Amino acid sequence: MSQHQQAERQDGAGAPQAPVAGAPMTHRQIMEALSGLLLGLFVAILSSTVVSNALPRIISDLDGSQSAYTWVVTSTLLATTVSTPIWGKLADLTSKKLLVQFSLLVFILGSAAAGLSQNPGTLITFRVIQGLGAGGLTALAQVILATIIPPRERGRYNGYLGAVMALGTIGGPLLGGVIVDTSWLGWRWCFYVGVPFALAALVILQRTLRLPLVTRAVKVDYLGAALVAASVSLLLIWVSLAGDTFDWWSWQTVAMVLGALVLAAAFVLVEQRAAEPIIPMRLFRNPTLTLSVVASLAVGTAMFGATVFLSQYFQIARGDSPTKAGVMTLPMIIGLVGSSTVVGRLITAFGKWKRYLVLGGVLLIVGLALMGSARADTAYGLLAVYMFLIGCGVGMTMQNLVLAVQNTVPLHELGAASSTVAFFRTLGGAIGVSVLGAVLASRVSTYMADGLAELGVEGLGSGSLPDISTLPAPIAAVVEDSYGRGTGVIFLIAAPIALVALLAILFLKEIPLRTANEDTAQTLIEDGLDVAGAVPLDKPATGPSTQASGPGGDTVDDTRGGRTDGGER
């Protein structure tokens, strides 16, 4: 049987076999393999963004505060941040297909449980479960894409990935607004609506996703995972409580910040000695990865930290309905979709990527700085232009930073390298949401106190998010102005953070994109593995056989030297 025939052969279930080594996959084969993955990613993003426009109503119904609003978002980002490198490391050690299916199941359970929440604390807890599943989908989507597509061709498919992410981001707020504004549904259906689509994604993944399988002994660095989780959590808890529960300059601040730093230092020490570290420290010897991590951290901080409060701005500062608030953010999403798709194709066509990263960094800074002028009465036409620039900046930078890293690491470390970049991006997002959320709460409180004092009113009482429609006109005007000015402040803070990303991008060296998606034997030998990528060269095989798949999906038996057609089933 020819290689082409083997590549096209189907098993009893009707799903295509993994192609044999050396036979590049056709565009149709790649799209079939990615179909379930893209649907799963779409569902995950949809289930997250569908809450964005509903969140002001949800927090108001649950009698939550601005701090609760922030933590509903931060908790998901934190769980995603902590779990992303773990998923990435597991992807280098075991079945990527089983991992992505399991992460999707975790996300479904978290979403369904979140719909049963009766108070902000319960909602935050279930959002953590959502975040654990989202971490898997975020990390594994990039890893699987990199496993089957060479870097030179990956720009095109990164464009598809970006388009799916943008579609979920577009559809989510709009759908969430409609659900909240439909009396016979209610906000709880924001969490239930994605479940049937997620189940469909599981079925499609089972039938279409075929990947090369690498079999290795799994050694998860649980101590490293616990230390990084504790360090990041302690830092974010400090940011959330400082200035409210205790002063910024206090013994609690010293204890929490010092504790977070000690835990971070312990994490680095543990990772240097772990057999299978969550984040291999040796990766940071790669200047492309180090600079991309810095840029991703800054992009995540600016992007998540500023834009997550846009829905709140449109609903509270401008008095729009949840549905209309979703429509108002469309310019930013259009910019993201258009830029990621067009730039992905340009990268594939010409093989150049740095110029687009630089342009994206500039557009992101300009857009954020201009949004810093936003007030409750700013003309929407201007806001639309500012949001479009932000979307273009994010679309040009977010996926292509991962591409730059994937182009410089060996195939068997794609999981760790990709998830490291994603880890720092979501870490930046979690920090950004917490810090800028705390700044927003502080600024809004100050502006409202000043405005209400001029009206001779002492305050609104509970500290919960206000429902503009229930307030007297003079007080509503003060609340709208306060949230408008406060939102402008956080965008102004986000702009110089994005400048850090641009500086890191400028120092990146443009390395030509590889046209083959496989490790050479020499690369594997230098990394201490045999050509099967399974057994260290200085350690003989102790079992009957240790198997691994080549890049095309062939299973390589290193103890007998034979080959049998195979892959993940």
Side-chain angles (χ1 to χ4, degrees):
M1 183 179 291
S2 68
Q3 284 189 347
H4 179 73
Q5 289 172 321
Q6 289 185 41
E8 295 290 342
R9 190 181 64 189
Q10 295 187 345
D11 61 19
Q17 294 273 10
V20 300
M25 296 176 69
T26 66
H27 175 67
R28 177 180 177 180
Q29 288 173 324
I30 292 173
M31 292 309 297
E32 286 177 349
L34 291 180
S35 57
L37 181 68
L38 293 177
L39 179 59
L41 185 62
F42 171 75
V43 170
I45 294 169
L46 182 70
S47 298
S48 297
T49 58
V50 76
V51 181
S52 60
N53 280 335
L55 202 51
R57 181 75 58 83
I58 293 172
I59 297 301
S60 178
D61 286 353
L62 296 179
D63 197 26
S65 63
Q66 177 66 53
S67 178
Y69 183 103
T70 299
W71 267 99
V72 167
V73 178
T74 303
S75 61
T76 306
L77 286 174
L78 176 60
T80 301
T81 300
V82 172
S83 64
T84 293
I86 300 175
W87 290 110
K89 173 52 65 176
L90 290 175
D92 286 335
L93 303 176
T94 187
S95 170
K96 300 174 183 64
K97 179 177 178 178
L98 290 178
L99 287 174
V100 75
Q101 289 176 311
F102 180 69
S103 65
L104 191 56
L105 282 173
V106 171
F107 195 91
I108 292 171
L109 292 175
S111 299
L116 302 175
S117 302
Q118 300 299 316
N119 54 66
T122 306
L123 178 60
I124 291 170
T125 300
F126 291 133
R127 290 280 288 176
V128 169
I129 298 175
Q130 274 189 306
L132 294 175
L137 292 165
T138 300
L140 294 167
Q142 295 283 358
V143 173
I144 292 172
L145 189 72
T147 300
I148 62 177
I149 304 170
R152 179 63 185 267
E153 297 296 322
R154 205 173 298 152
R156 175 185 184 183
Y157 296 97
N158 269 338
Y160 293 144
L161 198 66
V164 167
M165 294 173 68
L167 182 62
T169 309
I170 290 174
L174 291 175
L175 182 60
V178 171
I179 290 174
V180 170
D181 288 337
T182 303
S183 59
W184 52 273
L185 287 176
W187 60 261
R188 296 183 188 277
W189 275 95
C190 290
F191 299 101
Y192 301 145
V193 69
V195 173
F197 297 101
L199 293 174
L202 283 173
V203 174
I204 295 174
L205 278 169
Q206 181 60 33
R207 292 181 59 86
T208 64
L209 187 60
R210 294 293 181 266
L211 298 172
L213 176 63
V214 174
T215 304
R216 292 171 60 192
V218 179
K219 297 180 180 179
V220 181
D221 179 18
Y222 294 107
L223 179 57
L227 286 172
V228 71
S231 176
V232 174
S233 300
L234 188 57
L235 182 64
L236 294 181
I237 290 172
W238 164 67
V239 170
S240 178
L241 299 180
D244 184 15
T245 306
F246 51 81
D247 294 333
W248 284 98
W249 298 107
S250 62
W251 69 265
Q252 291 96 331
T253 290
V254 173
M256 288 187 173
V257 172
L258 185 61
L261 293 176
V262 170
L263 289 169
F267 169 72
V268 172
L269 292 176
V270 167
E271 294 302 274
Q272 290 176 336
R273 292 167 173 78
E276 294 286 355
I278 295 296
I279 301 179
M281 293 295 110
R282 68 177 181 277
L283 290 176
F284 291 95
R285 299 172 189 166
N286 181 340
T288 298
L289 183 137
T290 302
L291 289 170
S292 295
V293 160
V294 173
S296 295
L297 183 66
V299 167
T301 303
M303 178 184 67
F304 287 107
T307 59
V308 76
F309 298 105
L310 269 178
S311 178
Q312 192 179 40
Y313 164 76
F314 281 113
Q315 292 185 55
I316 298 180
R318 301 177 72 93
D320 295 327
S321 67
T323 302
K324 188 176 180 181
V327 175
M328 292 295 191
T329 59
L330 277 178
M332 184 172 65
I333 309 306
I334 292 172
L336 196 156
V337 174
S339 63
S340 63
T341 303
V342 172
V343 167
R345 290 186 173 274
L346 289 174
I347 290 175
T348 295
F350 301 105
K352 302 293 184 181
W353 50 267
K354 183 174 178 178
R355 63 190 65 176
Y356 305 112
L357 281 173
V358 173
L359 178 59
V362 171
L363 293 178
L364 182 59
I365 294 169
V366 172
L368 290 171
L370 291 174
M371 275 298 294
S373 65
R375 298 293 183 268
D377 58 352
T378 301
Y380 177 71
L382 293 175
L383 295 176
V385 173
Y386 305 160
M387 288 187 291
F388 179 78
L389 293 175
I390 293 173
C392 288
V394 172
M396 291 181 183
T397 55
M398 188 168 61
Q399 296 294 337
N400 293 323
L401 284 169
V402 179
L403 173 63
V405 170
Q406 290 174 341
N407 186 53
T408 63
V409 298
L411 190 62
H412 64 275
E413 287 189 337
L414 278 175
S418 302
S419 62
T420 296
V421 177
F423 167 80
F424 282 97
R425 184 175 64 234
T426 51
L427 174 61
I431 293 174
V433 170
S434 292
V435 172
L436 297 184
V439 171
L440 178 64
S442 175
R443 290 291 83 202
V444 165
S445 178
T446 300
Y447 294 146
M448 285 180 60
D450 293 342
L452 293 175
E454 294 179 2
L455 296 177
V457 179
E458 293 185 0
L460 294 178
S462 67
S464 301
L465 289 183
D467 184 347
I468 295 296
S469 62
T470 64
L471 298 176
I475 295 179
V478 170
V479 172
E480 289 173 349
D481 179 69
S482 299
Y483 274 89
R485 293 167 65 190
T487 302
V489 169
I490 63 174
F491 276 100
L492 280 179
I493 295 173
I497 297 174
L499 177 60
V500 175
L502 178 60
L503 293 175
I505 288 170
L506 289 174
F507 283 100
L508 281 172
K509 179 181 179 181
E510 184 160 27
I511 299 173
L513 295 175
R514 296 194 302 247
T515 57
N517 202 22
E518 58 185 16
D519 288 339
T520 64
Q522 182 61 35
T523 300
L524 292 172
I525 290 171
E526 289 172 354
D527 287 312
L529 300 174
D530 71 353
V531 293
V535 181
L537 291 174
D538 59 349
K539 294 181 181 179
T542 56
S545 68
T546 304
Q547 293 185 332
S549 294
D554 282 356
T555 300
V556 181
D557 188 328
D558 68 278
T559 62
R560 294 186 298 270
R563 288 180 180 269
T564 55
D565 184 45
E568 286 190 14
R569 294 288 183 268

